Amino acid sequence: MILGVGTDLANIDRVANTLERFGDRFRNRVFTDVEQAKAERRRDTVGTYAKRWAAKEACSKALGTGLRMGISWKDMYVSNLRTGQPVMHVTGWAKTRLDDMTPPGHEAIIHVTLTDDHPWAQAFVVIEARPIQSTPG
């Protein structure tokens, strides 16, 4: 069953201007060390930051809160599998919210997809609840 859906569209040039203006202050407030390391290794550093910004916004919408109610930017972050597939992680208040949304006997799965086409970066998040499979036994 679907628990939440969120999407966000971020302007890459706006993120570039924010990075230029605030630098590490912005990076350290919004992005985890994992996200920063990924972005700094990429040829399109700003586009990578913009996609992760959009992912955080989309995730907060899928959680049904937006960025309020105590949720922190760093409570949501994106890493990548070896295949390149993005994976959304939640900690802190975002994890608490996710746990509260998830019906008993289910596990929450967060699906995320990211794309960009200058000057836009987009993220789409779907939170799914799957029944926990009992092992025969």
Side-chain angles (χ1 to χ4, degrees):
M1 91 182 62
I2 303 299
L3 298 178
V5 176
T7 188
D8 192 67
L9 186 66
N11 185 291
I12 295 170
D13 293 333
R14 182 173 174 216
V15 172
N17 291 340
T18 303
L19 283 164
E20 188 174 308
R21 183 172 177 197
F22 297 105
D24 285 341
R25 188 169 138 213
F26 172 67
R27 268 186 216 81
N28 294 331
R29 179 173 168 243
V30 175
F31 302 101
T32 65
D33 292 342
V34 170
E35 291 173 311
Q36 289 182 48
K38 175 73 173 182
E40 296 301 326
R41 285 193 310 265
R42 300 294 298 267
R43 193 175 14 180
D44 182 14
T45 301
V46 176
T48 302
Y49 279 122
K51 285 186 281 190
R52 277 146 179 77
W53 172 278
K56 291 167 187 279
E57 288 275 6
C59 186
S60 71
K61 292 171 186 174
L63 289 168
T65 64
L67 285 161
R68 58 183 177 86
M69 297 175 60
I71 201 165
S72 164
W73 286 105
K74 288 185 174 183
D75 284 347
M76 303 163 289
Y77 69 95
V78 176
S79 69
N80 294 83
L81 299 177
R82 287 180 184 247
T83 61
Q85 177 183 346
V87 178
M88 178 63 72
H89 305 272
V90 292
T91 62
W93 192 90
K95 174 73 168 116
T96 300
R97 171 69 178 151
L98 181 64
D99 291 344
D100 290 346
M101 294 171 59
T102 306
H106 290 73
E107 63 179 338
I109 310 294
I110 303 174
H111 304 277
V112 61
T113 187
L114 308 173
T115 191
D116 64 298
D117 186 8
H118 196 89
W120 302 108
Q122 183 177 30
F124 191 76
V125 171
V126 175
I127 301 175
E128 171 190 11
R130 286 188 193 158
I132 296 172
Q133 300 292 328
S134 59
T135 55

